[in-house]
Amino acid sequence: MIRDRDETDDEQGAQPHDGARARRVLSWDKDCAKDGEGRIDKVSGDEPLLPARVHRPADLVRLFLGILGIALVLALAAFAHSTTQGVAQDIRQSTGTVPELLANFAGLTANIAVFIVPVAFAVERLVKRDGLRIADGVLAAVLAHGVSLATALWVAEAAPDSIRDALTQRAPSGGVTDPVHGYLAPVIAYMTAVGMSRRPRWRVAMWAVLLLDSFAVLVNGYTTPFSIAVTVLIGWTVAYGTLYAVGSPNVRPTGRHLLAGLRRVGFRPESALRAEDTAADEAHPDRGRRYIVTLEDGPPLDVTVVDREQQAQGFFYRVWQRLALRETIQRRSLLSLRQALEQEALLAYAAIAAGANAPKLIATSELGPDAVMLVYEHTGGRPLDAVPDDKITDELLTSAWRQLRALQSRRIAHRRLDGDALLVDRSGNVVLTDLRSGEIAAGDLVLRMDVAQLLVTLGLRVGAERAVATGVAVLGPDAIADSLPLLQPLALTRISRATLRQLARERSERERERVLKAAKEAREPESRKALKAERHAEKKALEEALEEAREEDLLAQIRRQVLLVRPQAPIEPVRLERIKPRTLISFVAGAIAAYFLLSQLTHVKFGDLVDKANWGWVAVAVAFQALTYVAAAMSLLGFVPEKVTFGRTVLAQVAGSFVKIVAPAAVGGVALNTRFLQRAGIRPGLAVASVGASQLFGLACHIMLLLSFGYITGTERSDSLGPSRTVIGGLLTAAVLVLVVAAIPVLRKFVSTRVRSLFAGVVPRMLDVLQRPQKLCIGIGGMLLLTAANVMCLDASIRAFGGELSYASIAVVFLTANALGSAAPTPGGVGAVEFALTGALTFAGLPAEQAAPAVLLFRLMTLWLPVLPGWASFTHLTRKAAI
């Protein structure tokens, strides 16, 4: 909707800008408006009302840093006890030489100043009608006081002695000093939340008060150095946590501020039109707001407004990029407003000097304390994304490649060559915009990334063939071929990756529909006899349909077109990541798992463990564990209609014991079995469907066994045959979850899409298996045998240390822990399985001194001992090209 707003409407949009900084913007704007002779500014476009408060990522970062600081201080106090005692003793000796009169005077002055300074600042803010900021400070102070009391209670009741000794000492008046100052932490939280540190005079007063108070309590023996550090960090952390939770006053400039700012730099604006591009703004939230400004006496202007809030957009994504990506391909870090202004101005001038078509920057200026504007000559035109497909000619594509060639001739990288950054002017030439993310003196890798990005951007519109052909015509075949190693999603922009993912989903949906249609046509025989006669033809038809339905993705099409031009071009992808997200998650989860595992093992005496173990039952546990590999092979082959060697299948299951050490349990086994079936001569699609069918039947069998044994467990100790409360609670919980998923459209669509994609490939394979009762019995029998063998192995492990539980209870414990282990992201479910088994066995009535060694033996049998045989099997199968 397009509508006009006068100055009054825009001023109403600025009313939520409470606080002194907001009033400085308004007062500055009014002064500028006077220079404009009191004109009424016209701002066209859907200029939104700005929210009164915003949640700044910087506050969240400071919150995390404060929590990390508190953790480090407490860790130092806990693990470096001698060091902390030495530091405290040195400070006491140094302060002991201070004259008593000076120490008493400092204490009196600090006690007075620590209350007067905050009250004086509050009065000053209230006089200037900035009461909401004071309310934020009071809220932070109250919360800090509560956190201080909670910390003091924890130190007194539950903290280790080393932490208690570091935070407390004998008070001169008797008793023990407080571990956290009950009044100093709230004062620090208040001063931080109200923004005293951003005002020079008040900042000096604040630090003087804090240093004087710390000196006074140290000299008089009422605290320790570590107590002061914890107190300061608590106040600082709570303040920024409060600011992030309730939000900070919004001081973003409106269109009215923009027109006033233009008058300040010598222009005479008449009206401004907000240029809206919702999709591009969502993809690049830090690009700024764009306006087309009409002047009284000249051509229009293109103005971009960037404020501090927009600069912070995508902060956490850039932090992750800095951690995960190699330094040579990282985009710019979070810059200040002035640095961003200077960088965009530099790139604009450098692009024009290189001969590229780019908007000409003619003015820059600040818009109050938290925003800047960049004024360009009006270009006109529309983004490439808005150009119809039939209007994108080879001349237009060639113009885009020429602009890139001009930039690369001066080693300038654009870093954001999306369709919205390529502007097509009225004469049909391409103009490069969005230069803010670019680089000068860019390295070869970054320059090649620009080539790969433009190949994808143009390929999405006109196809791989035309994009490659026009690129080769302008840049040459070598430059295009050198970009192939960078033709990977990680090197592309976020909007390009999202588009490729959407196309992949649509392509997958088309493939499934074609395969299902072919399967339906192949399953229309006239009789049972004809069904058997045409079974072979049906399989062949399905395989042919799958091959015909398979489509190349855009990146593969581009590679194929480039290889036609340069067959010897390198195609091995360049490694761009330092660390993968899954690796980081596995590392963190592994560290947590190791913590829980070590905390369990600290109570286990391995000498007594060996002496007290019944080695007969240990041998029984080994036998049942060996039986699980035979059962796993049966459960897989039962869903594979084709003939596969049973011996090699058993070896593949043993090799899975090695694979799951380096991958999550639910991932490694599926990948290994799929690869094994493919190497056995089964088509990739059918191999995936067989493993999927096995997993689906296994899930259903797992749920049925868990419910059945749960029911039996609930009736073991009761005369009633009614189900246990646990089973009823579990069923009700499952029903509530189903209702919640069905009621929320987003969750319903997500689940239905996943279920549909699962059944699309698995159902035809399951129908094949159902036609072979012998195979189906082998598969289901293998699943039951697998569960029974694991339950008996756990039972033997328990009996090896003198424990005893019912088989139903052990089955419930194993099935529950196995489900948690499959969901855990750690290799082999390390940590999650041990924690769940120990807790469940203890809850079932087994003493902790028997549960811990039994779980340790069970995991030794099922996870650690099979690693060496698994490695040998994996190596053997790899050598035989079986996996």
Side-chain angles (χ1 to χ4, degrees):
M1 177 180 179
I2 303 297
R3 62 178 185 272
D4 294 335
R5 291 185 176 182
D6 59 14
E7 183 172 312
T8 305
D9 292 332
D10 287 319
E11 189 170 358
Q12 289 175 354
Q15 287 300 324
H17 295 208
D18 56 351
R21 298 172 73 193
R23 278 194 300 280
R24 286 207 306 273
V25 175
L26 294 176
S27 63
W28 169 84
D29 182 51
K30 291 177 181 178
D31 294 338
C32 294
K34 294 178 181 177
D35 297 336
E37 299 177 358
R39 291 185 54 86
I40 296 180
D41 299 328
K42 298 288 185 179
V43 180
S44 303
D46 198 6
E47 181 81 353
L49 292 176
L50 299 179
R53 291 176 173 269
V54 293
H55 303 279
R56 303 186 187 278
D59 294 335
L60 184 60
V61 172
R62 294 187 180 101
L63 170 64
F64 287 145
L65 290 177
I67 295 174
L68 180 61
I70 295 173
L72 289 177
V73 171
L74 294 179
L76 181 62
F79 299 107
H81 183 67
S82 300
T83 303
T84 58
Q85 292 297 320
V87 171
Q89 185 176 359
D90 292 341
I91 293 178
R92 281 195 297 268
Q93 291 177 355
S94 300
T95 57
T97 60
V98 177
E100 184 178 358
L101 180 61
L102 178 60
N104 293 334
F105 178 76
L108 178 62
T109 305
N111 289 333
I112 296 175
V114 80
F115 291 105
I116 289 181
V117 172
V119 171
F121 184 82
V123 171
E124 191 240 358
R125 291 293 92 198
L126 291 174
V127 169
K128 295 184 177 182
R129 297 181 181 179
D130 193 10
L132 287 179
R133 193 179 297 274
I134 301 303
D136 294 342
V138 173
L139 176 61
V142 172
L143 294 177
H145 184 64
V147 173
S148 300
L149 293 178
T151 304
L153 181 62
W154 172 74
V155 171
E157 300 293 337
D161 293 337
S162 56
I163 293 180
R164 189 179 300 111
D165 294 340
L167 298 181
T168 60
Q169 65 179 15
R170 282 290 175 186
S173 58
V176 180
T177 60
D178 294 331
V180 180
H181 287 276
Y183 69 89
L184 188 57
V187 169
I188 293 173
Y190 169 85
M191 291 180 172
T192 304
V194 298
M196 290 181 65
S197 60
R198 291 192 292 267
R199 292 167 175 81
R201 295 180 180 177
W202 288 103
R203 180 170 60 244
V204 172
M206 180 184 72
W207 281 108
V209 168
L210 294 180
L211 291 175
L212 184 61
D213 186 81
S214 301
F215 172 78
V217 292
L218 270 176
V219 168
N220 291 297
Y222 286 100
T223 191
T224 66
F226 285 91
S227 175
I228 291 180
V230 171
T231 301
V232 172
L233 287 172
I234 286 177
W236 193 69
T237 303
V238 171
Y240 285 112
T242 304
L243 289 177
Y244 185 77
V246 303
S248 301
N250 193 348
V251 292
R252 296 177 65 180
T254 62
R256 178 174 176 268
H257 302 144
L258 166 65
L259 298 179
L262 288 172
R263 292 196 183 94
R264 192 180 186 188
V265 294
F267 295 101
R268 300 182 63 186
E270 187 176 54
S271 64
L273 172 65
R274 174 75 184 274
E276 298 184 55
D277 189 349
T278 305
D281 291 343
E282 291 178 354
H284 305 301
D286 60 337
R287 65 184 297 176
R289 289 173 289 156
R290 299 181 177 186
Y291 296 86
I292 300 175
V293 178
T294 303
L295 301 180
E296 296 179 3
D297 52 358
L301 304 173
D302 290 334
V303 183
T304 300
V305 177
V306 181
D307 56 55
R308 196 177 303 279
E309 188 64 27
Q310 287 174 315
Q311 276 294 102
Q313 293 290 336
F315 171 79
F316 296 107
Y317 176 74
R318 290 197 291 272
V319 169
W320 166 248
Q321 279 194 322
R322 182 159 292 275
L323 291 174
L325 301 184
R326 290 170 52 189
E327 187 174 355
T328 53
I329 67 165
Q330 289 177 1
R331 288 181 170 84
R332 61 176 179 81
S333 58
L334 186 63
L335 304 177
S336 66
L337 279 175
R338 178 160 294 278
Q339 288 174 326
L341 178 69
E342 293 171 351
Q343 178 170 339
E344 184 161 354
L346 175 62
L347 265 297
Y349 292 135
I352 294 176
N357 295 334
K360 184 179 180 181
L361 183 67
I362 57 178
T364 60
S365 178
E366 293 184 346
L367 288 180
D370 289 298
V372 296
M373 69 174 179
L374 299 101
V375 184
Y376 296 92
E377 288 185 353
H378 181 61
T379 303
R382 52 184 173 174
L384 181 66
D385 286 343
V387 178
D389 293 341
D390 57 349
K391 298 296 184 181
I392 302 179
T393 62
D394 288 347
E395 290 76 13
L396 180 60
L397 301 179
T398 301
S399 176
W401 284 111
R402 286 173 179 167
Q403 307 315 311
L404 180 60
R405 182 180 63 183
L407 290 182
Q408 300 212 339
S409 66
R410 302 294 177 87
R411 304 196 69 80
I412 301 173
H414 189 284
R415 303 299 301 269
R416 193 178 279 181
L417 286 171
D418 283 324
D420 62 292
L422 303 176
L423 190 69
V424 181
D425 64 13
R426 296 182 180 89
S427 60
N429 294 320
V430 173
V431 180
L432 299 178
T433 62
D434 278 351
L435 292 165
R436 187 179 304 116
S437 298
E439 296 179 15
I440 60 173
D444 291 337
L445 198 64
V446 178
L447 295 177
R448 290 157 60 194
M449 286 176 62
D450 269 358
V451 177
Q453 175 63 55
L454 190 55
L455 279 172
V456 173
T457 299
L458 300 181
L460 287 171
R461 297 304 313 275
V462 301
E465 184 177 357
R466 290 179 62 190
V468 172
T470 52
V472 169
V474 177
L475 298 183
D478 292 335
I480 299 296
D482 289 342
S483 69
L484 283 188
L486 278 305
L487 201 64
Q488 50 183 301
L490 195 61
L492 305 177
T493 60
R494 298 175 72 179
I495 192 170
S496 296
R497 293 199 298 270
T499 304
L500 290 175
R501 285 194 297 267
Q502 178 63 29
L503 292 177
R505 286 192 291 267
E506 295 174 358
R507 184 173 62 253
S508 178
E509 186 66 26
R510 290 195 300 270
E511 291 177 358
R512 284 195 297 269
E513 291 176 357
R514 292 173 186 172
V515 172
L516 291 176
K517 182 178 179 181
K520 183 178 179 181
E521 294 174 354
R523 292 181 182 278
E524 295 180 352
E526 297 180 357
S527 64
R528 182 179 299 272
K529 184 176 181 179
L531 174 63
K532 294 181 179 179
E534 296 183 2
R535 184 174 295 165
H536 181 71
E538 175 190 339
K539 290 181 182 179
K540 185 176 180 181
L542 284 175
E543 293 173 0
E544 291 177 355
L546 184 62
E547 290 295 330
E548 293 176 0
R550 187 172 291 111
E551 303 176 12
E552 280 187 317
D553 66 337
L554 178 63
L555 299 185
Q557 294 174 20
I558 293 175
R559 292 190 191 97
R560 179 164 51 82
Q561 291 296 326
V562 174
L563 290 176
L564 292 176
V565 180
R566 275 287 185 271
Q568 69 278 15
I571 60 174
E572 185 68 23
V574 175
R575 182 173 179 179
L576 303 178
E577 289 179 308
R578 286 177 179 166
I579 183 173
K580 295 182 179 180
R582 181 174 295 175
T583 304
L584 182 61
I585 293 174
S586 298
F587 176 78
V588 174
I592 297 174
Y595 170 78
F596 284 115
L597 182 59
L598 291 175
S599 64
Q600 295 172 14
L601 295 180
T602 53
H603 303 290
V604 178
K605 297 180 180 180
F606 289 94
D608 296 341
L609 189 67
V610 175
D611 295 336
K612 295 179 180 179
N614 187 326
W615 291 98
W617 283 111
V618 173
V620 173
V622 172
F624 278 116
Q625 172 55 25
L627 183 60
T628 60
Y629 298 112
V630 178
M634 293 172 56
S635 65
L636 175 62
L637 294 181
F639 297 92
V640 181
E642 295 80 5
K643 185 177 181 180
V644 181
T645 306
F646 183 77
R648 282 197 173 183
T649 307
V650 174
L651 287 179
Q653 306 313 305
V654 177
S657 301
F658 169 70
V659 173
K660 68 182 181 182
I661 290 297
V662 295
V667 177
V670 172
L672 181 68
N673 286 331
T674 303
R675 179 68 173 174
F676 171 73
L677 293 179
Q678 292 178 13
R679 288 291 189 176
I682 301 174
R683 293 276 185 176
L686 298 178
V688 172
S690 292
V691 176
S694 175
Q695 293 290 318
L696 189 60
F697 265 96
L699 176 62
C701 185
H702 191 101
I703 294 174
M704 294 301 298
L705 288 175
L706 185 60
L707 292 176
S708 300
F709 284 115
Y711 177 86
I712 295 173
T713 303
T715 58
E716 279 180 341
R717 302 177 183 178
S718 175
D719 296 333
S720 172
L721 294 179
S724 66
R725 294 182 179 179
T726 304
V727 175
I728 295 176
L731 292 175
L732 291 177
T733 302
V736 170
L737 290 176
V738 171
L739 291 176
V740 170
V741 170
I744 301 177
V746 176
L747 294 178
R748 184 171 64 246
K749 182 179 179 181
F750 176 81
V751 173
S752 62
T753 302
R754 293 298 184 274
V755 172
R756 192 183 303 115
S757 63
L758 174 65
F759 278 89
V762 172
V763 169
R765 196 62 165 171
M766 291 174 62
L767 294 176
D768 287 340
V769 174
L770 290 175
Q771 297 171 10
R772 297 168 175 82
Q774 183 180 0
K775 281 281 188 180
L776 185 61
C777 291
I778 292 175
I780 297 178
M783 292 176 183
L784 296 176
L785 180 60
L786 179 62
T787 302
N790 278 296
V791 170
M792 296 305 296
C793 181
L794 180 57
D795 177 67
S797 301
I798 295 172
R799 293 178 185 273
F801 296 97
E804 185 175 357
L805 285 175
S806 67
Y807 289 116
S809 300
I810 295 175
V812 171
V813 169
F814 166 74
L815 292 170
T816 304
N818 189 47
L820 292 176
S822 299
T826 56
V830 174
V833 174
E834 288 83 358
F835 183 75
L837 282 174
T838 305
L841 289 176
T842 306
F843 180 77
L846 192 67
E849 57 271 13
Q850 293 177 343
V855 171
L856 181 63
L857 177 61
F858 177 73
R859 291 294 281 171
L860 190 66
M861 296 293 175
T862 58
L863 181 64
W864 301 112
L865 286 184
V867 171
L868 186 58
W871 173 81
S873 300
F874 186 86
T875 304
H876 173 75
L877 293 175
T878 303
R879 191 182 306 114
K880 297 293 185 179
I883 55 175

